[in-house]
Amino acid sequence: MMKLRAILVMTIYAILVTLASFWMAKQSYSWFPPEASAESKLTDDLFSLFTGLGTFIYLGVIGPFIYSLIFHRASKYDRSDAPPIEGNTWLEVIWTATPLVLVLTLSFVSYRTYEKMSIRGPMELVHLHVPQMIEPAYAEPFDSTPQQDIQNAVETEPIEQIDVTARQWAWVFHYPEKDITSTELHLPVDRRVRFTLRSQDVLHGFYIPAFRVSQYVVPNEDINLELTPVKTGTYRLRDSMYSGTYFAANQTDVVVQSPNDYQQWLADAAAQTPNSAFNQAAYEYSQSSEPGSGNTKDKVAVRGWATIPPAPPPVVNYAPKHEPKSPPA
Amino acid sequence: MTNISLEPIEIVRGQPYPGAPDNWKRFFTFSTDHKVIGIQYIVTSFIFFLVGGLFAMIMRGELITPEADLVDRTVYNALFTMHGSVMLFFWTFPVLVGLGNYLVPLMIGARDMAFPRLNAVSFWMIPIAGILMMSSFLIPGGPSQSGWWAYPPVSLQNPTNNLINGQVLWILSVAISGVSSIMGAVNFVTTIFKMRAPGMTWFRTPAFVWSVLAAQLIQLYGLPSLTGGAIMLLLDLTAGTSFFTPERGGNPIVYQHFFWFYSHPAVYVMVLPVFGIFSEVLPVHARKPLFGYRVIAVSSVIITVISSAVWVHHMFASATPPWMRMFFMVTTMLVAVPSGIKVFGWVATIWGGKMRFTTPMLFALGGISNWVFAGITGIFLGSVPIDLHVHNTYFVVGHFHYVLYGAIVMGIYAGIYHWFPKMTGRMYYEGLGKLHFVLTYVGTALIFLPMHPLGLMGMPRRVASYDPEFAFWNVVASIGGFLLGLSTLPFILNMVSAWVRGEKVGNNPWRAYGLEWLTSSPPSVENYEELPLVVSGPYGYGRSEPLVSNVPNPDLTEFSESLTPQEAS
Ligand code: HEM
Ligand SMILES: [Cu+2]
């Protein structure tokens, strides 16, 4: 009788936990910025799987834990000990083996997702340092065809090359085909884009949350990163690797456009003579060291210390119009 | 069997002298008594905890609005650098060394640590290094602003061009604390290997001692790497070498390997002793043996081994090639297995127990629940594609604060409350303790939970200003932060007043198994009149077997105060 009830309770709890896990897995998609790249869909699916399993494990542990907190308390005058149960080999084997299988599965699924993105990343480096050995070693045993959207993009049109330069504290994008520069990143939709990332000073992080993939920008190294924008709109590029004083202000917009708009933008930009762009860091720096105002900005309550001066504002063909007084974006 | 031996000689003499357990002046001396050193560590590091917490309050004040408007950006950057450095190097590491110092010799039936003088030297280096780091606030360029990682090239940029700058002081301070840690590690490892009481075999050694051993072994293999990296950084900064300086052909990524080869395992240096505390506190307050004690003990050592090969998960977004990303993803995920074993063991320990929700028990249970959550987000981070999105966002900050505050700080509180009667002979106040627990638990959830959605939305960490879309969760987090600041007040009040005039309780108010509970409270200078002869394993709840053969061992389920000096004669 007792046993039957215990089994019943456990079954009901297991069903509830399963439902909750599915619900959380579905919810997880809403926690992210828009899915603006083909890669972001892969990441979000993977994250959803992790969320589902994570919820299952969390509730699976916390449920019995809380049950125990409620029902296994000593009554007020009971000073005796509980039964001396010291272990149970079977249980211990099960709760070693299950997590082991689980994390190996999760590693495998993550690996597959990573392959489907085929973001390249610092792949060049592999060839540089470890010439032959590596590629077969990880490509052989598994299917590593890229995701369908990515494959389509690669097959329909050539990869669009964009050079990215990061510095303290600005982003400059160079479009080699038309030889134009911009401080705003414009991208064609549904095409594979290859960024070549370079830094002029310190480490920076190339991070567009709507695309889900971040990559450090490393001085003295050219790092390639391939992404596939699939949704037109305006997103944000943030420096994700702490890069010094004005790091938080080192942001810019990313505009994903239809092929026509994109070509139009390229043509317009090419027609303009390079001009000094607005730069938040340089602007704030000039405010803080204005003669007479000391080192203190009016709006800041506590004075600061000396800082590396920002690089001069980049001179580019295209720069978005900004009110100099606009709040840090 | 006779019990007179338990009476501490100092009480017989009745004369306080420097070093006597009831002379408070001993805490301000170069004492070589591990119990004095342990408390010196705990109190000193708690002061640094308050300092680091103050920095955090100011940061949360800045982040309550999207604009950078409370402090200058340089000040914000200095604050998060100092916050992280103080909290790790001057709070978490030393407070755990303090608890280990106090408890390990008592738990293994030793009279002191293996090298008492070395022990005192390691302690006194901590305030020196801490003050050195704080002094960087007073020099013209201000403190280091390169974060607790001190990644070059940012850490090599020296805007004032002074030779004595915040970064140099930071490196020196971290180096001193590193030397102190290495000396401590040698001391702990030797003590645990060589000085266990007769009869205390490895599988009769308490889980806490196992976990301290596992943690200190990490210090031995890991710290040389950090020290090496720090020395090269110092040379680059002051002597013009080019290990990490890109303009001179150096490679800044190599520094990251030196740093994380130590600093990943270092997170386990911090969490392992806390796992040990959970394993000690639960059986006592649930009146049940630790479930799967041997597996829990051994899993600590497995963690020591695995955590030596996972460090690149902090560098997935550095110039790390794909094969390396994949390799370290698998090793990282494997850490979850021994960590999971422990959690399941703890749940099974309280299952069917007879629990009492004393303050230490509440903190231990709360800490475990937070650890489960943090361990799961850790697995998320171990997956390369997920990490490439959330790396360097607030998701990571949420993850590691759930471990560091949710599990580790809570576990430290559990340990302090649990052994407070042993250290002082008096009982803390339950009411204040429970208030402290509620404030801490709620505050932790309020501040650190919102960081996860913020990170998923793409808010980078270490920012002094942010986009307005992130404002809501940041306000919630700031409120939680102020609550955590508040939560320290009942704790301080409790500790101070209970130490001065708390109720005197006997040697073993919890009716706990364990050698440390067989001696007087506070223990005499020599810990034991006669070294105990251990005849059974720890956690003998419900078995009524004697733990040692030469000290009275009344049935623990029935006796409570029978070992106090008065009754013992
Ligand atoms: C199941 C166990 C754990 C796993 C799988 C795990 C995994 C990870 C991963 C992959 C990261 C890198 C995230 C990133 O920077 O992108 C990370 C960061 C971090 N973890 Fe954990 N972790 C675990 C347990 C712990 C524990 C026990 C602690 C602390 C005692 C801890 C403290 C940290 C810290 C401090 C960071 C961030 C360091 C920094 O970037 O400043 N983690 N964790
Ligand atoms: Cu790590």
Side-chain angles (χ1 to χ4, degrees), chain B residues 148-149 260 264 267-268 270-271 313-314 316 332 335-336 339 371 374-375 378-379 381-382 387 390-392 396 399-400 403-404 408 461-462:
Chain B
W148 86 279
W149 310 340
W260 287 115
H264 171 80
V267 308
Y268 277 96
M270 297 182 272
V271 88
H313 65 219
H314 296 274
F316 284 150
T332 298
V335 185
S339 310
W371 162 246
I379 303 290
L381 292 171
D387 186 64
V390 295
H391 173 63
N392 270 346
V396 175
H399 156 73
F400 70 74
V403 195
L404 283 164
I408 295 182
R461 60 191 286 204
R462 320 191 131 168

Side-chain angles (χ1 to χ4, degrees), chain A residues 72 81 114 214 216 238 242, chain B residues 145 325 352 388 391 467 542:
Chain A
H72 301 154
D81 284 354
Y114 185 76
S214 68
Y216 286 5
R238 300 197 172 90
Y242 175 70
Chain B
Q145 296 174 31
R325 286 175 163 167
L388 289 181
H391 173 63
D467 290 351

Side-chain angles (χ1 to χ4, degrees), chain B residues 422 506-513 517-518 521 556 559-561:
Chain B
K422 179 50 59 186
N507 297 338
N508 191 359
W510 303 127
R511 300 181 296 125
Y513 271 81
W517 299 105
L518 291 177
S521 297
L556 279 164
F559 105 117
S560 62
E561 316 281 69

